[in-house]
Amino acid sequence: MRAKQRVTMMKKLVLYGLVFLTAALVCLALISGIFRYQAEQKPPVSSIEGERILLPPPRSDGAFSVERALAERRSVRHYAPRSIRQSDISQLLWACQGISGPGGLRTSPSAGALYPLEVYLVAGEVEGLSPGIYHYLPADNVLETIRSGDYRADLSLSALNQSAVSEAPAVLVITAVFNRTTGKYGERGIRYVHMEAGHAAQNVYLQATSLGTGTVSIGAFHDGEIQKILSVEDETPLYLMPVGYLL
Ligand SMILES: Cc1cc2nc3c(=O)[nH]c(=O)nc-3n(C[C@H](O)[C@H](O)[C@H](O)COP(=O)(O)O)c2cc1C
């Protein structure tokens, strides 16, 4: 009788053990599934100097017409207090200086296709991107980390305290390497580079409008201070373009 009871007890113990083990395995699978889902939702966060971050591929088509973008474009200096999607940043950078044709032709025209402009991203609140300063490399659709940290306040201070610069989740900075163009066109090349900055900035305006974001061309700032913040003593900053969602 006792032996029979012992066997029954053992069977019960094995059964309970199996039930417990199955429940634990199901829980583990659920938890790891949740973590995997969350990891898939968030783009990787990055901030190591020199590191290259591949941007989401830009779209070359959309439902928002050029006419509507032209009609609705305005300079926007106040933004919704929320972070900007990495895909929107990628789109804005592409509109500014991205590759759109064979042999590296870009979205903005360039005298002699010499491309004297460089674009930097001062990121404060960009999804999946640590606050920092990044250099846009059009050929690879990549951001290269220049330095980590939130430099929007410093940038704003160098731009006569313009609050659009510190309020926006991110700021595009367009700089120029003049001798790429003056090397071929001499003095006249200076004019060409300025014209090109205008083309690039207007592209950003129109793309920003179609994305439901706003921007403003900012030309009032201290060149030397911006050069120091970006660590680009050999380049001339031409425009700051804060970007953020409309209020
Ligand atoms: C070369 C240039 C420099 C500018 N600099 C500034 C600036 O430093 N700060 C600013 O708030 N707006 C600046 N603007 C934006 C103009 O103020 C704006 O384009 C103008 O008021 C017309 O408004 P809209 O762009 O909404 O049509 C600049 C525009 C250009 C073309």
Side-chain angles (χ1 to χ4, degrees), residues 102-170:
L105 293 173
R106 299 188 183 181
T107 49
S108 293
S110 175
L114 292 168
Y115 302 111
L117 303 181
E118 296 292 329
V119 187
Y120 294 85
L121 178 76
V122 177
E125 295 156 88
V126 179
E127 279 177 12
L129 210 59
S130 297
I133 298 178
Y134 301 87
H135 185 198
Y136 178 53
L137 306 179
D140 303 320
N141 190 39
V142 148
L143 284 178
E144 189 176 50
T145 311
I146 303 289
R147 49 163 56 168
S148 313
D150 191 344
Y151 286 91
R152 288 174 298 171
D154 302 68
L155 210 62
S156 168
L157 208 63
S158 307
L160 321 183
N161 259 322
Q162 297 192 62
S163 59
V165 178
S166 49
E167 266 180 34

Short mmCIF file of all heavy atoms in Angstrom, two decimals, residues 102-170:
data_model
loop_
_atom_site.label_atom_id
_atom_site.label_comp_id
_atom_site.label_asym_id
_atom_site.label_seq_id
_atom_site.Cartn_x
_atom_site.Cartn_y
_atom_site.Cartn_z
N PRO A 102 23.61 58.15 -62.16
CA PRO A 102 24.85 57.40 -62.42
C PRO A 102 26.09 58.27 -62.22
O PRO A 102 26.04 59.49 -62.43
CB PRO A 102 24.71 56.98 -63.89
CG PRO A 102 23.68 57.90 -64.48
CD PRO A 102 22.77 58.31 -63.36
N GLY A 103 27.15 57.66 -61.75
CA GLY A 103 28.42 58.39 -61.56
C GLY A 103 28.37 59.35 -60.39
O GLY A 103 29.17 60.28 -60.32
N GLY A 104 27.42 59.16 -59.50
CA GLY A 104 27.37 59.98 -58.29
C GLY A 104 26.64 61.29 -58.45
O GLY A 104 26.81 62.21 -57.63
N LEU A 105 25.86 61.46 -59.52
CA LEU A 105 25.08 62.70 -59.67
C LEU A 105 24.11 62.82 -58.50
O LEU A 105 23.61 61.82 -57.97
CB LEU A 105 24.33 62.69 -61.01
CG LEU A 105 25.24 62.74 -62.25
CD1 LEU A 105 24.44 62.56 -63.53
CD2 LEU A 105 26.04 64.04 -62.30
N ARG A 106 23.85 64.08 -58.09
CA ARG A 106 23.11 64.31 -56.85
C ARG A 106 21.76 64.99 -57.06
O ARG A 106 21.47 65.49 -58.16
CB ARG A 106 23.95 65.15 -55.88
CG ARG A 106 25.26 64.45 -55.51
CD ARG A 106 26.00 65.19 -54.42
NE ARG A 106 27.27 64.54 -54.15
CZ ARG A 106 28.13 64.93 -53.23
NH1 ARG A 106 27.86 65.99 -52.48
NH2 ARG A 106 29.27 64.29 -53.05
N THR A 107 20.98 65.06 -55.99
CA THR A 107 19.65 65.68 -56.04
C THR A 107 19.74 67.19 -56.30
O THR A 107 18.79 67.78 -56.78
CB THR A 107 18.90 65.44 -54.72
OG1 THR A 107 19.78 65.78 -53.64
CG2 THR A 107 18.43 64.00 -54.60
N SER A 108 20.87 67.82 -55.95
CA SER A 108 21.08 69.26 -56.20
C SER A 108 22.06 69.42 -57.35
O SER A 108 23.05 68.69 -57.41
CB SER A 108 21.65 69.95 -54.97
OG SER A 108 20.73 69.96 -53.92
N PRO A 109 21.82 70.40 -58.23
CA PRO A 109 22.78 70.61 -59.31
C PRO A 109 24.09 71.19 -58.79
O PRO A 109 24.12 71.81 -57.72
CB PRO A 109 22.06 71.63 -60.21
CG PRO A 109 21.08 72.32 -59.32
CD PRO A 109 20.69 71.35 -58.26
N SER A 110 25.18 70.95 -59.55
CA SER A 110 26.48 71.44 -59.11
C SER A 110 27.31 71.82 -60.33
O SER A 110 27.42 71.04 -61.28
CB SER A 110 27.20 70.34 -58.32
OG SER A 110 28.51 70.75 -57.99
N ALA A 111 27.89 73.02 -60.30
CA ALA A 111 28.71 73.50 -61.43
C ALA A 111 29.84 72.51 -61.69
O ALA A 111 30.65 72.24 -60.79
CB ALA A 111 29.26 74.89 -61.11
N GLY A 112 29.87 71.97 -62.90
CA GLY A 112 30.93 71.02 -63.27
C GLY A 112 30.83 69.71 -62.51
O GLY A 112 31.77 68.92 -62.53
N ALA A 113 29.70 69.47 -61.85
CA ALA A 113 29.51 68.27 -61.00
C ALA A 113 30.70 68.09 -60.04
O ALA A 113 31.20 66.98 -59.86
CB ALA A 113 29.29 67.03 -61.87
N LEU A 114 31.14 69.21 -59.46
CA LEU A 114 32.30 69.15 -58.57
C LEU A 114 31.91 68.98 -57.09
O LEU A 114 32.75 68.69 -56.26
CB LEU A 114 33.15 70.42 -58.76
CG LEU A 114 33.82 70.50 -60.13
CD1 LEU A 114 34.41 71.89 -60.38
CD2 LEU A 114 34.91 69.44 -60.29
N TYR A 115 30.67 69.22 -56.78
CA TYR A 115 30.10 68.99 -55.45
C TYR A 115 30.95 69.56 -54.30
O TYR A 115 31.59 68.81 -53.55
CB TYR A 115 29.80 67.49 -55.25
CG TYR A 115 28.84 67.01 -56.31
CD1 TYR A 115 29.25 66.12 -57.31
CD2 TYR A 115 27.55 67.49 -56.36
CE1 TYR A 115 28.38 65.72 -58.32
CE2 TYR A 115 26.66 67.11 -57.36
CZ TYR A 115 27.09 66.23 -58.33
OH TYR A 115 26.22 65.85 -59.31
N PRO A 116 30.94 70.88 -54.16
CA PRO A 116 31.73 71.51 -53.10
C PRO A 116 31.06 71.49 -51.73
O PRO A 116 31.66 71.90 -50.73
CB PRO A 116 31.85 72.96 -53.60
CG PRO A 116 30.58 73.17 -54.37
CD PRO A 116 30.27 71.87 -55.03
N LEU A 117 29.80 71.05 -51.67
CA LEU A 117 29.07 71.12 -50.39
C LEU A 117 29.24 69.85 -49.56
O LEU A 117 29.29 68.74 -50.10
CB LEU A 117 27.57 71.37 -50.63
CG LEU A 117 27.20 72.61 -51.46
CD1 LEU A 117 25.69 72.72 -51.59
CD2 LEU A 117 27.78 73.88 -50.83
N GLU A 118 29.29 70.05 -48.24
CA GLU A 118 29.29 68.94 -47.29
C GLU A 118 28.10 69.16 -46.36
O GLU A 118 27.71 70.31 -46.11
CB GLU A 118 30.59 68.90 -46.47
CG GLU A 118 31.84 68.63 -47.28
CD GLU A 118 31.90 67.21 -47.85
OE1 GLU A 118 31.36 66.28 -47.20
OE2 GLU A 118 32.45 67.04 -48.95
N VAL A 119 27.54 68.08 -45.87
CA VAL A 119 26.38 68.21 -44.98
C VAL A 119 26.66 67.48 -43.66
O VAL A 119 27.15 66.34 -43.67
CB VAL A 119 25.10 67.63 -45.63
CG1 VAL A 119 23.88 67.94 -44.76
CG2 VAL A 119 24.89 68.20 -47.03
N TYR A 120 26.35 68.16 -42.57
CA TYR A 120 26.53 67.59 -41.22
C TYR A 120 25.17 67.55 -40.53
O TYR A 120 24.28 68.37 -40.83
CB TYR A 120 27.50 68.45 -40.40
CG TYR A 120 28.89 68.40 -41.00
CD1 TYR A 120 29.25 69.26 -42.03
CD2 TYR A 120 29.82 67.46 -40.57
CE1 TYR A 120 30.50 69.19 -42.63
CE2 TYR A 120 31.08 67.38 -41.16
CZ TYR A 120 31.41 68.25 -42.18
OH TYR A 120 32.65 68.16 -42.77
N LEU A 121 25.02 66.59 -39.64
CA LEU A 121 23.80 66.50 -38.86
C LEU A 121 24.15 66.71 -37.40
O LEU A 121 24.98 65.96 -36.84
CB LEU A 121 23.15 65.12 -39.04
CG LEU A 121 21.88 64.91 -38.23
CD1 LEU A 121 20.71 65.66 -38.88
CD2 LEU A 121 21.53 63.43 -38.12
N VAL A 122 23.56 67.73 -36.80
CA VAL A 122 23.71 67.92 -35.34
C VAL A 122 22.44 67.33 -34.74
O VAL A 122 21.37 67.92 -34.83
CB VAL A 122 23.90 69.41 -34.99
CG1 VAL A 122 23.99 69.60 -33.48
CG2 VAL A 122 25.15 69.94 -35.67
N ALA A 123 22.58 66.13 -34.20
CA ALA A 123 21.41 65.38 -33.74
C ALA A 123 21.23 65.55 -32.24
O ALA A 123 22.18 65.43 -31.47
CB ALA A 123 21.57 63.90 -34.07
N GLY A 124 20.00 65.90 -31.85
CA GLY A 124 19.66 65.98 -30.42
C GLY A 124 18.71 64.86 -30.07
O GLY A 124 18.98 64.02 -29.21
N GLU A 125 17.57 64.84 -30.80
CA GLU A 125 16.57 63.81 -30.56
C GLU A 125 16.17 63.17 -31.88
O GLU A 125 15.15 63.54 -32.48
CB GLU A 125 15.35 64.42 -29.89
CG GLU A 125 15.63 64.96 -28.49
CD GLU A 125 14.63 66.03 -28.11
OE1 GLU A 125 13.58 65.67 -27.56
OE2 GLU A 125 14.90 67.21 -28.39
N VAL A 126 17.01 62.26 -32.33
CA VAL A 126 16.72 61.50 -33.56
C VAL A 126 16.58 60.05 -33.16
O VAL A 126 17.46 59.50 -32.48
CB VAL A 126 17.87 61.65 -34.60
CG1 VAL A 126 17.56 60.84 -35.85
CG2 VAL A 126 18.09 63.11 -34.94
N GLU A 127 15.45 59.44 -33.55
CA GLU A 127 15.20 58.05 -33.15
C GLU A 127 16.34 57.15 -33.60
O GLU A 127 16.74 57.18 -34.77
CB GLU A 127 13.88 57.57 -33.74
CG GLU A 127 12.69 58.03 -32.93
CD GLU A 127 11.35 57.62 -33.54
OE1 GLU A 127 11.34 56.78 -34.46
OE2 GLU A 127 10.33 58.15 -33.09
N GLY A 128 16.86 56.36 -32.66
CA GLY A 128 17.90 55.39 -33.00
C GLY A 128 19.28 55.98 -33.20
O GLY A 128 20.18 55.28 -33.67
N LEU A 129 19.44 57.25 -32.85
CA LEU A 129 20.74 57.91 -33.03
C LEU A 129 21.09 58.66 -31.74
O LEU A 129 20.30 59.48 -31.29
CB LEU A 129 20.63 58.90 -34.20
CG LEU A 129 21.85 59.20 -35.03
CD1 LEU A 129 22.40 57.94 -35.68
CD2 LEU A 129 21.49 60.22 -36.11
N SER A 130 22.25 58.39 -31.19
CA SER A 130 22.66 59.11 -29.98
C SER A 130 22.88 60.57 -30.34
O SER A 130 23.31 60.87 -31.46
CB SER A 130 23.96 58.55 -29.44
OG SER A 130 23.78 57.23 -29.07
N PRO A 131 22.63 61.49 -29.37
CA PRO A 131 22.95 62.89 -29.64
C PRO A 131 24.41 62.99 -30.07
O PRO A 131 25.28 62.36 -29.48
CB PRO A 131 22.73 63.56 -28.28
CG PRO A 131 21.77 62.67 -27.56
CD PRO A 131 22.08 61.27 -28.02
N GLY A 132 24.65 63.77 -31.11
CA GLY A 132 26.02 63.88 -31.60
C GLY A 132 26.09 64.66 -32.89
O GLY A 132 25.07 65.14 -33.40
N ILE A 133 27.31 64.77 -33.40
CA ILE A 133 27.52 65.44 -34.69
C ILE A 133 27.98 64.38 -35.69
O ILE A 133 28.89 63.60 -35.41
CB ILE A 133 28.55 66.58 -34.55
CG1 ILE A 133 28.03 67.62 -33.55
CG2 ILE A 133 28.85 67.22 -35.91
CD1 ILE A 133 28.95 68.77 -33.28
N TYR A 134 27.30 64.37 -36.81
CA TYR A 134 27.55 63.33 -37.82
C TYR A 134 27.81 63.98 -39.18
O TYR A 134 27.23 65.03 -39.50
CB TYR A 134 26.33 62.41 -37.95
CG TYR A 134 25.96 61.71 -36.66
CD1 TYR A 134 25.11 62.32 -35.73
CD2 TYR A 134 26.47 60.45 -36.37
CE1 TYR A 134 24.77 61.67 -34.54
CE2 TYR A 134 26.13 59.80 -35.19
CZ TYR A 134 25.28 60.42 -34.28
OH TYR A 134 24.93 59.77 -33.11
N HIS A 135 28.65 63.32 -39.96
CA HIS A 135 28.95 63.79 -41.32
C HIS A 135 28.21 62.87 -42.29
O HIS A 135 28.31 61.65 -42.20
CB HIS A 135 30.47 63.70 -41.55
CG HIS A 135 30.92 64.24 -42.87
ND1 HIS A 135 32.13 63.95 -43.41
CD2 HIS A 135 30.31 65.08 -43.75
CE1 HIS A 135 32.27 64.57 -44.57
NE2 HIS A 135 31.16 65.26 -44.80
N TYR A 136 27.45 63.48 -43.21
CA TYR A 136 26.69 62.69 -44.19
C TYR A 136 27.59 62.32 -45.36
O TYR A 136 28.22 63.20 -45.98
CB TYR A 136 25.51 63.54 -44.69
CG TYR A 136 24.66 62.90 -45.74
CD1 TYR A 136 24.11 61.63 -45.57
CD2 TYR A 136 24.38 63.57 -46.94
CE1 TYR A 136 23.30 61.05 -46.54
CE2 TYR A 136 23.57 63.00 -47.92
CZ TYR A 136 23.04 61.74 -47.72
OH TYR A 136 22.25 61.18 -48.68
N LEU A 137 27.67 61.02 -45.64
CA LEU A 137 28.47 60.55 -46.77
C LEU A 137 27.51 60.06 -47.85
O LEU A 137 27.01 58.93 -47.79
CB LEU A 137 29.42 59.42 -46.32
CG LEU A 137 30.32 59.74 -45.12
CD1 LEU A 137 31.19 58.55 -44.76
CD2 LEU A 137 31.20 60.97 -45.40
N PRO A 138 27.21 60.92 -48.85
CA PRO A 138 26.16 60.60 -49.82
C PRO A 138 26.38 59.28 -50.57
O PRO A 138 25.44 58.53 -50.81
CB PRO A 138 26.19 61.79 -50.79
CG PRO A 138 26.87 62.89 -50.06
CD PRO A 138 27.82 62.24 -49.11
N ALA A 139 27.63 59.01 -50.95
CA ALA A 139 27.91 57.83 -51.79
C ALA A 139 27.44 56.54 -51.13
O ALA A 139 27.01 55.61 -51.81
CB ALA A 139 29.40 57.75 -52.08
N ASP A 140 27.53 56.48 -49.80
CA ASP A 140 27.15 55.24 -49.11
C ASP A 140 25.85 55.37 -48.32
O ASP A 140 25.44 54.43 -47.65
CB ASP A 140 28.28 54.84 -48.13
CG ASP A 140 29.60 54.66 -48.85
OD1 ASP A 140 29.57 54.11 -49.97
OD2 ASP A 140 30.64 55.10 -48.33
N ASN A 141 25.22 56.54 -48.38
CA ASN A 141 24.02 56.82 -47.58
C ASN A 141 24.28 56.52 -46.10
O ASN A 141 23.52 55.83 -45.42
CB ASN A 141 22.83 56.00 -48.10
CG ASN A 141 21.52 56.45 -47.47
OD1 ASN A 141 21.30 57.64 -47.27
ND2 ASN A 141 20.67 55.50 -47.11
N VAL A 142 25.40 57.06 -45.65
CA VAL A 142 25.90 56.73 -44.31
C VAL A 142 26.14 58.01 -43.53
O VAL A 142 26.43 59.06 -44.10
CB VAL A 142 27.23 55.93 -44.50
CG1 VAL A 142 28.19 56.17 -43.38
CG2 VAL A 142 26.95 54.45 -44.69
N LEU A 143 26.00 57.90 -42.19
CA LEU A 143 26.43 58.99 -41.30
C LEU A 143 27.70 58.53 -40.61
O LEU A 143 27.75 57.41 -40.09
CB LEU A 143 25.36 59.27 -40.24
CG LEU A 143 24.12 60.04 -40.66
CD1 LEU A 143 23.18 60.17 -39.46
CD2 LEU A 143 24.46 61.43 -41.20
N GLU A 144 28.70 59.42 -40.59
CA GLU A 144 29.92 59.09 -39.86
C GLU A 144 29.97 59.94 -38.61
O GLU A 144 29.80 61.17 -38.69
CB GLU A 144 31.14 59.37 -40.74
CG GLU A 144 32.42 58.84 -40.12
CD GLU A 144 33.61 59.04 -41.05
OE1 GLU A 144 33.78 60.18 -41.53
OE2 GLU A 144 34.34 58.09 -41.27
N THR A 145 30.17 59.29 -37.48
CA THR A 145 30.17 60.02 -36.21
C THR A 145 31.41 60.89 -36.08
O THR A 145 32.54 60.40 -36.18
CB THR A 145 30.13 59.03 -35.02
OG1 THR A 145 29.10 58.08 -35.27
CG2 THR A 145 29.85 59.75 -33.72
N ILE A 146 31.18 62.19 -35.84
CA ILE A 146 32.29 63.12 -35.61
C ILE A 146 32.55 63.23 -34.11
O ILE A 146 33.66 63.13 -33.64
CB ILE A 146 31.95 64.53 -36.16
CG1 ILE A 146 31.60 64.48 -37.64
CG2 ILE A 146 33.08 65.53 -35.88
CD1 ILE A 146 32.74 64.19 -38.58
N ARG A 147 31.51 63.45 -33.35
CA ARG A 147 31.63 63.51 -31.89
C ARG A 147 30.26 63.27 -31.23
O ARG A 147 29.23 63.54 -31.84
CB ARG A 147 32.20 64.85 -31.42
CG ARG A 147 31.51 66.06 -32.05
CD ARG A 147 31.80 67.33 -31.31
NE ARG A 147 33.20 67.62 -31.19
CZ ARG A 147 33.68 68.79 -30.80
NH1 ARG A 147 32.84 69.77 -30.49
NH2 ARG A 147 34.95 69.02 -30.69
N SER A 148 30.31 62.74 -30.01
CA SER A 148 29.07 62.47 -29.28
C SER A 148 28.69 63.66 -28.41
O SER A 148 29.55 64.46 -28.03
CB SER A 148 29.23 61.28 -28.35
OG SER A 148 29.84 60.25 -29.03
N GLY A 149 27.42 63.75 -28.09
CA GLY A 149 26.93 64.81 -27.20
C GLY A 149 25.94 65.71 -27.92
O GLY A 149 25.91 65.74 -29.16
N ASP A 150 25.15 66.41 -27.13
CA ASP A 150 24.12 67.28 -27.69
C ASP A 150 24.69 68.70 -27.87
O ASP A 150 24.92 69.40 -26.87
CB ASP A 150 22.91 67.30 -26.74
CG ASP A 150 21.71 67.98 -27.40
OD1 ASP A 150 21.90 68.67 -28.41
OD2 ASP A 150 20.59 67.82 -26.89
N TYR A 151 24.94 69.10 -29.10
CA TYR A 151 25.58 70.39 -29.38
C TYR A 151 24.60 71.44 -29.89
O TYR A 151 25.02 72.48 -30.40
CB TYR A 151 26.74 70.20 -30.37
CG TYR A 151 27.93 69.56 -29.71
CD1 TYR A 151 28.07 68.18 -29.71
CD2 TYR A 151 28.88 70.32 -29.06
CE1 TYR A 151 29.15 67.57 -29.07
CE2 TYR A 151 29.96 69.74 -28.41
CZ TYR A 151 30.08 68.36 -28.43
OH TYR A 151 31.14 67.78 -27.78
N ARG A 152 23.30 71.18 -29.75
CA ARG A 152 22.32 72.14 -30.28
C ARG A 152 22.40 73.49 -29.57
O ARG A 152 22.28 74.54 -30.20
CB ARG A 152 20.90 71.56 -30.18
CG ARG A 152 20.64 70.44 -31.15
CD ARG A 152 19.30 69.83 -30.89
NE ARG A 152 19.21 69.24 -29.56
CZ ARG A 152 18.10 68.79 -29.01
NH1 ARG A 152 16.96 68.89 -29.67
NH2 ARG A 152 18.11 68.25 -27.81
N ALA A 153 22.61 73.47 -28.25
CA ALA A 153 22.65 74.73 -27.49
C ALA A 153 23.87 75.55 -27.92
O ALA A 153 23.78 76.78 -28.09
CB ALA A 153 22.69 74.45 -26.00
N ASP A 154 25.02 74.87 -28.11
CA ASP A 154 26.24 75.58 -28.55
C ASP A 154 26.03 76.18 -29.95
O ASP A 154 26.44 77.30 -30.23
CB ASP A 154 27.43 74.61 -28.62
CG ASP A 154 27.69 73.95 -27.28
OD1 ASP A 154 26.84 73.14 -26.86
OD2 ASP A 154 28.70 74.26 -26.66
N LEU A 155 25.38 75.38 -30.78
CA LEU A 155 25.12 75.83 -32.15
C LEU A 155 24.23 77.06 -32.14
O LEU A 155 24.47 78.03 -32.85
CB LEU A 155 24.44 74.68 -32.91
CG LEU A 155 24.68 74.57 -34.40
CD1 LEU A 155 26.15 74.32 -34.70
CD2 LEU A 155 23.84 73.45 -35.00
N SER A 156 23.19 77.02 -31.29
CA SER A 156 22.25 78.13 -31.18
C SER A 156 22.98 79.39 -30.70
O SER A 156 22.77 80.49 -31.22
CB SER A 156 21.11 77.76 -30.22
OG SER A 156 20.38 78.89 -29.90
N LEU A 157 23.85 79.20 -29.70
CA LEU A 157 24.62 80.33 -29.16
C LEU A 157 25.46 80.98 -30.27
O LEU A 157 25.56 82.21 -30.35
CB LEU A 157 25.54 79.80 -28.06
CG LEU A 157 25.93 80.77 -26.96
CD1 LEU A 157 24.70 81.20 -26.18
CD2 LEU A 157 26.95 80.11 -26.01
N SER A 158 26.02 80.14 -31.16
CA SER A 158 26.83 80.65 -32.27
C SER A 158 25.97 81.25 -33.36
O SER A 158 26.49 81.87 -34.29
CB SER A 158 27.66 79.53 -32.88
OG SER A 158 28.39 78.90 -31.88
N ALA A 159 24.66 81.03 -33.28
CA ALA A 159 23.73 81.59 -34.28
C ALA A 159 22.88 82.67 -33.62
O ALA A 159 21.65 82.69 -33.79
CB ALA A 159 22.87 80.49 -34.87
N LEU A 160 23.54 83.54 -32.89
CA LEU A 160 22.89 84.69 -32.24
C LEU A 160 21.71 84.26 -31.37
O LEU A 160 20.67 84.92 -31.35
CB LEU A 160 22.44 85.73 -33.28
CG LEU A 160 23.36 85.99 -34.48
CD1 LEU A 160 22.80 87.08 -35.36
CD2 LEU A 160 24.77 86.35 -34.03
N ASN A 161 21.86 83.10 -30.75
CA ASN A 161 20.84 82.58 -29.82
C ASN A 161 19.50 82.28 -30.48
O ASN A 161 18.47 82.31 -29.80
CB ASN A 161 20.61 83.58 -28.68
CG ASN A 161 21.35 83.13 -27.45
OD1 ASN A 161 21.40 81.93 -27.16
ND2 ASN A 161 21.93 84.08 -26.74
N GLN A 162 19.48 81.98 -31.74
CA GLN A 162 18.21 81.70 -32.42
C GLN A 162 17.64 80.40 -31.85
O GLN A 162 18.28 79.34 -31.90
CB GLN A 162 18.41 81.61 -33.93
CG GLN A 162 18.88 82.95 -34.52
CD GLN A 162 18.81 82.97 -36.03
OE1 GLN A 162 17.74 82.83 -36.62
NE2 GLN A 162 19.94 83.15 -36.66
N SER A 163 16.41 80.52 -31.31
CA SER A 163 15.85 79.38 -30.56
C SER A 163 15.48 78.21 -31.47
O SER A 163 15.43 77.06 -31.01
CB SER A 163 14.63 79.84 -29.76
OG SER A 163 13.66 80.35 -30.65
N ALA A 164 15.25 78.47 -32.76
CA ALA A 164 14.91 77.35 -33.67
C ALA A 164 16.01 76.30 -33.63
O ALA A 164 15.74 75.10 -33.71
CB ALA A 164 14.73 77.88 -35.09
N VAL A 165 17.25 76.75 -33.48
CA VAL A 165 18.39 75.83 -33.52
C VAL A 165 18.45 74.94 -32.28
O VAL A 165 18.77 73.76 -32.36
CB VAL A 165 19.71 76.64 -33.69
CG1 VAL A 165 20.92 75.72 -33.70
CG2 VAL A 165 19.66 77.46 -34.97
N SER A 166 18.12 75.51 -31.12
CA SER A 166 18.17 74.68 -29.90
C SER A 166 16.88 73.89 -29.69
O SER A 166 16.89 72.84 -29.05
CB SER A 166 18.46 75.56 -28.68
OG SER A 166 17.60 76.68 -28.67
N GLU A 167 15.77 74.37 -30.26
CA GLU A 167 14.47 73.70 -30.08
C GLU A 167 14.28 72.49 -30.99
O GLU A 167 13.63 71.52 -30.64
CB GLU A 167 13.34 74.68 -30.40
CG GLU A 167 12.78 75.40 -29.21
CD GLU A 167 11.66 76.35 -29.63
OE1 GLU A 167 10.91 76.03 -30.57
OE2 GLU A 167 11.55 77.42 -29.00
N ALA A 168 14.84 72.56 -32.19
CA ALA A 168 14.62 71.50 -33.18
C ALA A 168 15.28 70.20 -32.72
O ALA A 168 16.34 70.24 -32.10
CB ALA A 168 15.21 71.93 -34.52
N PRO A 169 14.68 69.07 -33.03
CA PRO A 169 15.32 67.80 -32.65
C PRO A 169 16.65 67.56 -33.38
O PRO A 169 17.50 66.85 -32.86
CB PRO A 169 14.28 66.73 -33.04
CG PRO A 169 13.31 67.40 -33.96
CD PRO A 169 13.34 68.85 -33.63
N ALA A 170 16.81 68.20 -34.55
CA ALA A 170 18.06 68.03 -35.29
C ALA A 170 18.31 69.24 -36.18
O ALA A 170 17.37 69.95 -36.54
CB ALA A 170 18.01 66.78 -36.15
#
